[in-house]
Amino acid sequence: MFEFSIGATSGPARTGTLTLPHGAVETPVFMPVGTQGSVRALSPNDLRSAGATLVLANTYHLHVRPGEQVVEKLGALHRFMAWDRPLLTDSGGFQVFSLEGSRRVDDGGVEFQSHVDGSRRRLTPERATEIQWTLGADIAMAFDHVVPGGADEATARDALDRTMRWLERCRTRHAELTASHDYQTLWPILQGGAHLELRTEGLRRILDLGDWTGLAIGGLSVGEPKAVMYDTLERLEPKLPAGPRYLMGVGFPEDLVAAVERGVDLFDCVAPTRNGRNGSAFTPDGPVSIRNAEHREDPRPLDPSCDCETCTTFSRGYLRHLFMAEELLGLRLLSLHNVRYLIRLAEAMRAAIRRNAFGPWAAEWRRRYLHTGSA
Amino acid sequence: MFEFSIGATSGPARTGTLTLPHGAVETPVFMPVGTQGSVRALSPNDLRSAGATLVLANTYHLHVRPGEQVVEKLGALHRFMAWDRPLLTDSGGFQVFSLEGSRRVDDGGVEFQSHVDGSRRRLTPERATEIQWTLGADIAMAFDHVVPGGADEATARDALDRTMRWLERCRTRHAELTASHDYQTLWPILQGGAHLELRTEGLRRILDLGDWTGLAIGGLSVGEPKAVMYDTLERLEPKLPAGPRYLMGVGFPEDLVAAVERGVDLFDCVAPTRNGRNGSAFTPDGPVSIRNAEHREDPRPLDPSCDCETCTTFSRGYLRHLFMAEELLGLRLLSLHNVRYLIRLAEAMRAAIRRNAFGPWAAEWRRRYLHTGSA
């Protein structure tokens, strides 16, 4: 039910097949983010046409609105959002710690204010696990304490220790819930900020708790310099178990390439949809701002090498017009393209790994995307 | 190239086939409105899936942004908006007379301020005709002087006289433009406000100018009581030529049924998309406000009899969630359903006419849609 088999490797980069109750996922894979049970501006048909196999939804958002009981009454998350392929739910930890306004953390859990109606609410490891079970995603995430990218070692250690204690409680509750129906797996989240020794200790403690079907690396891409993220991944990689590795909240095309190069398999990020709604499109030659006047009369597609509906149907000039005229269709067309771009990027990386040529492929990709001269 | 053949009749109601350069259109037909070259929130694929055969775009809007020269450089309107089926462009008259801000009408044309950049601009019958020729729709409309629904007879007569003088100029300019390429036809617009004698006179004067491939009735559904519109249509109908009759800016389901009953063939209106974006959906049992709390846990589709993507895929509970959570997908799904609803309504009317049973069908339809008790 929850298997991962590694296919080809090229240095630390590897391809794999992750088998989940709702289907198989080829890795490396990019997960579009459906925060509130909808990948913004995109329909399930759009996501299928973009080649999405795994979609993320947010426990915090669905808990505060419409509430997991409503989702359950409407047939649980897959039926609710009409997505019949695999789903992963974030635990709510990241959202709760990102919220504006008052928030109180103790060892029991976190008290916070709903961003929807201001009501006081409490999430605990047990509640976060129960909510995710009710939502019914294929993969649930453990409830974690996230600290900002620049947190000092004492703060990061405190959060790591708490995350580890919470992980045991999530695991216990999840085992109770899944005792009779084994259709969801739970993944731990490794924290530790930018402190490698904490990351190493955290990883050891996670593995001491037993076997996991996958493991997430959290608390990166939260404000620290990119070099720190790349370095952390590089140093962790030899110590990671063979199972799937999910780098949370990443990302941008250059980060996906760098992380796959360092042995990461799964990614999620709102960048393709958020940037798309802002009129910024990923292309093999780097990002394009569609509002720029240069596109006014440009009959060419956004990305001639792309097979998405946006690129095979519309000109840059028309897409620019949609943004200048504030037409809703523009938001959707650029979101669709950006999601397809990252999914195609993952496909291209899998192909390069299978040829055992990830290094040269990545150098060539960077030369073009980052305009960094010869490789 | 521009033929209309009447199929079945049932009283004044009739079916027909309107042949245009970009394809054939079965009538009665509802045209979705793509004001700025995009039917709001919908893609060409959505429109095809909804069964749209003819789409309207607005000359005024495309003239002020991006400008007809830009559209021309991007391959003219069909290519620009990636719609390969028939298109109709409104002349800009209605928009210019609906604009806020200063506007000066003389016999030459109208001077107005662009709503985009405030620049002073001038539209004349010749310019409106030239812009539409540049855009390249299958059907162009004559430039008209529109008055509010409650205009007195002197005002309405003045506007009618001007519209008639402008019609001759549009016709002359259009004949010059189409001399070598006959891929666009021009339709006159009958004005006259709520004054039947003016309408009758206007119709006579239009027909005195010669043959037309179709005729539009403008200046209705602009604030006058609905009974006035229905009465005007009823009195005009016996005097109308056999060609296609287009009732501009209508509308709502009950208006479509009433107008087909009075011999009208074509309709356009922003209601399905605008109402859809406001969370209001047409159903056979009348409009549904999807935000209402009663839909919170409702697993049923919006309209179980509908074959659109929205109704075959999503629950009312999920659609309500999308609106409460301000997800863009909600705007699109309700817009899509409403457009499909009106297109299916036109299909149902064609079927009833072919059975020569329009009256009983309309009575039964009203009983259900308007909850008016027994027919």
Side-chain angles (χ1 to χ4, degrees):
Chain A
M1 193 69 116
F2 302 100
E3 277 165 26
F4 182 68
S5 63
I6 294 173
T9 60
S10 180
R14 71 259 184 94
T15 65
T17 304
L18 174 60
T19 306
L20 296 167
H22 286 83
V25 174
E26 298 299 311
T27 64
V29 67
F30 174 77
M31 278 182 265
V33 177
T35 306
Q36 304 187 104
S38 167
V39 177
R40 222 148 265 172
L42 300 182
S43 71
N45 279 340
D46 291 336
L47 293 170
R48 271 185 287 269
S49 80
T53 52
L54 178 56
V55 167
L56 179 146
N58 283 112
T59 293
Y60 164 79
H61 284 96
L62 292 167
H63 169 62
V64 299
R65 184 173 54 199
E68 64 276 13
Q69 274 81 19
V70 172
V71 176
E72 186 179 33
K73 283 199 175 131
L74 293 169
L77 192 52
H78 280 92
R79 176 72 200 92
F80 180 64
M81 59 190 285
W83 181 249
D84 57 4
R85 296 182 180 179
L87 280 171
L88 179 150
T89 41
D90 191 1
S91 63
F94 180 78
Q95 270 76 30
V96 167
F97 288 98
S98 311
L99 276 181
E100 302 285 328
S102 63
R103 173 180 62 233
R104 225 182 47 200
V105 191
D106 58 39
D107 252 28
V110 189
E111 200 176 289
F112 62 96
Q113 255 184 316
S114 157
H115 76 289
V116 172
D117 60 8
S119 61
R120 301 296 304 176
R121 305 207 175 209
R122 190 171 167 80
L123 268 185
T124 64
E126 289 79 9
R127 282 293 293 130
T129 306
E130 288 159 6
I131 295 168
Q132 290 181 84
W133 176 250
T134 302
L135 293 173
D138 300 69
I139 302 172
M141 301 303 301
F143 191 62
D144 57 339
H145 185 169
V146 184
V147 295
D152 61 36
E153 188 166 347
T155 308
R157 162 161 293 286
D158 180 60
L160 172 66
D161 286 344
R162 186 166 298 106
T163 298
M164 296 310 305
R165 289 191 294 272
W166 286 357
L167 176 58
E168 295 199 48
R169 289 164 56 189
C170 289
R171 189 179 173 93
T172 302
R173 187 71 189 111
H174 197 258
E176 292 167 6
L177 293 167
T178 53
S180 56
H181 303 290
D182 184 25
Y183 58 70
Q184 182 180 75
T185 192
L186 177 76
W187 285 6
I189 302 176
L190 173 61
Q191 292 291 346
H195 307 277
L196 191 67
E197 62 289 8
L198 290 182
R199 293 273 176 187
T200 310
E201 178 192 327
L203 178 57
R204 184 180 48 70
R205 290 167 69 178
I206 286 171
L207 300 181
D208 283 350
L209 285 178
D211 287 337
W212 302 93
T213 61
L215 180 145
I217 302 169
L220 288 177
S221 194
V222 291
E224 80 288 353
K226 284 204 176 189
V228 172
M229 173 166 92
Y230 297 167
D231 187 57
T232 305
L233 292 175
E234 206 161 302
R235 310 275 200 110
L236 281 176
E237 197 280 326
K239 304 180 173 69
L240 291 170
R245 303 146 178 184
Y246 162 29
L247 180 59
M248 304 182 84
V250 172
F252 282 85
E254 61 272 31
D255 296 336
L256 259 68
V257 174
V260 166
E261 205 162 28
R262 291 159 177 82
V264 174
D265 308 293
L266 291 94
F267 303 89
D268 79 278
C269 193
V270 296
T273 44
R274 177 175 294 167
N275 292 14
R277 294 198 306 281
N278 289 333
S280 178
F282 300 136
T283 81
D285 299 300
V288 162
S289 282
I290 199 64
R291 280 196 179 86
N292 282 357
E294 65 182 301
H295 307 302
R296 203 170 113 99
E297 298 178 359
D298 193 337
R300 294 173 307 159
L302 202 46
D303 173 359
S305 68
C306 182
D307 57 5
C308 81
E309 184 187 344
T310 306
C311 292
T312 55
T313 312
F314 302 102
S315 65
R316 289 183 176 209
Y318 181 70
L319 296 172
R320 175 176 191 267
H321 167 67
L322 293 179
F323 273 84
M324 300 309 287
E326 299 182 1
E327 282 288 348
L328 290 167
L329 183 60
L331 310 180
R332 162 179 168 192
L333 292 178
L334 256 65
S335 298
L336 178 67
H337 167 73
N338 281 348
V339 166
R340 179 63 187 142
Y341 176 87
L342 289 186
I343 288 172
R344 286 179 67 232
L345 180 61
E347 290 170 3
M349 291 196 281
R350 297 201 295 268
I353 295 166
R354 288 191 192 107
R355 295 194 306 271
N356 194 13
F358 193 79
W361 175 90
E364 172 59 22
W365 182 88
R366 284 190 188 101
R367 191 193 56 73
R368 191 168 166 194
Y369 188 85
L370 303 171
H371 313 296
T372 51
S374 72
Chain B
M1 194 69 115
F2 302 101
E3 276 165 27
F4 182 68
S5 63
I6 294 174
T9 60
S10 180
R14 73 259 184 94
T15 66
T17 304
L18 174 61
T19 306
L20 295 168
H22 286 83
V25 174
E26 297 298 311
T27 63
V29 67
F30 175 77
M31 279 182 264
V33 177
T35 306
Q36 305 187 102
S38 166
V39 177
R40 222 150 263 173
L42 300 182
S43 71
N45 280 340
D46 291 336
L47 293 170
R48 271 186 287 269
S49 81
T53 51
L54 178 57
V55 167
L56 179 146
N58 283 111
T59 294
Y60 164 79
H61 285 94
L62 292 167
H63 169 62
V64 299
R65 183 172 56 199
E68 64 275 12
Q69 273 81 18
V70 172
V71 176
E72 186 180 32
K73 282 198 174 133
L74 293 168
L77 191 53
H78 280 92
R79 176 73 201 92
F80 180 65
M81 60 190 283
W83 181 249
D84 56 3
R85 296 182 181 179
L87 281 171
L88 179 151
T89 41
D90 192 1
S91 63
F94 181 78
Q95 270 76 32
V96 168
F97 287 99
S98 311
L99 277 181
E100 302 285 328
S102 63
R103 174 180 61 233
R104 225 182 46 201
V105 191
D106 57 39
D107 250 29
V110 189
E111 200 176 290
F112 62 96
Q113 253 185 317
S114 157
H115 76 289
V116 171
D117 60 8
S119 61
R120 300 295 303 176
R121 304 209 174 206
R122 189 172 167 78
L123 268 185
T124 63
E126 289 78 10
R127 282 293 293 132
T129 305
E130 288 158 6
I131 295 168
Q132 290 182 84
W133 176 251
T134 302
L135 292 173
D138 301 68
I139 302 172
M141 300 303 301
F143 191 60
D144 57 340
H145 185 169
V146 184
V147 294
D152 61 35
E153 189 167 344
T155 308
R157 161 161 294 285
D158 180 61
L160 172 66
D161 286 343
R162 185 166 299 106
T163 298
M164 295 310 306
R165 288 191 295 271
W166 286 356
L167 176 58
E168 294 199 48
R169 288 162 57 188
C170 289
R171 190 180 172 94
T172 301
R173 187 71 189 110
H174 197 257
E176 291 167 8
L177 294 167
T178 53
S180 55
H181 302 291
D182 184 25
Y183 59 70
Q184 182 180 74
T185 192
L186 177 76
W187 286 6
I189 302 176
L190 174 60
Q191 292 290 349
H195 307 278
L196 191 68
E197 62 289 8
L198 290 182
R199 292 274 175 186
T200 310
E201 178 192 326
L203 178 57
R204 185 181 46 73
R205 290 167 69 177
I206 286 171
L207 300 181
D208 283 350
L209 286 178
D211 287 337
W212 302 92
T213 61
L215 180 145
I217 302 169
L220 288 177
S221 195
V222 290
E224 80 289 354
K226 285 205 176 187
V228 171
M229 175 166 90
Y230 297 167
D231 187 57
T232 304
L233 292 176
E234 208 162 300
R235 309 275 199 112
L236 281 176
E237 196 280 327
K239 303 180 173 69
L240 291 170
R245 303 146 179 185
Y246 162 30
L247 180 58
M248 304 183 83
V250 172
F252 282 85
E254 61 272 31
D255 296 336
L256 259 68
V257 173
V260 166
E261 205 162 28
R262 290 161 176 83
V264 174
D265 308 293
L266 293 93
F267 304 89
D268 78 278
C269 193
V270 296
T273 44
R274 176 175 294 168
N275 291 15
R277 294 197 306 281
N278 288 332
S280 178
F282 300 136
T283 81
D285 298 301
V288 163
S289 282
I290 199 65
R291 280 196 178 86
N292 282 357
E294 63 182 302
H295 307 302
R296 203 171 115 97
E297 299 178 358
D298 193 337
R300 293 173 307 161
L302 202 46
D303 174 359
S305 68
C306 183
D307 57 5
C308 80
E309 184 186 347
T310 307
C311 292
T312 56
T313 312
F314 302 102
S315 64
R316 289 183 175 208
Y318 181 70
L319 296 172
R320 177 177 189 267
H321 167 65
L322 293 179
F323 273 85
M324 301 309 287
E326 298 181 1
E327 282 287 349
L328 289 168
L329 182 60
L331 310 182
R332 160 179 169 192
L333 292 178
L334 257 64
S335 298
L336 177 67
H337 166 74
N338 281 348
V339 166
R340 179 64 186 141
Y341 176 86
L342 289 185
I343 288 171
R344 286 179 69 233
L345 180 61
E347 289 170 3
M349 290 196 280
R350 296 202 294 268
I353 294 165
R354 288 190 193 108
R355 294 193 307 271
N356 194 13
F358 193 79
W361 176 89
E364 172 59 22
W365 182 88
R366 284 189 188 103
R367 192 191 56 71
R368 193 170 165 194
Y369 188 85
L370 304 170
H371 313 297
T372 51
S374 72

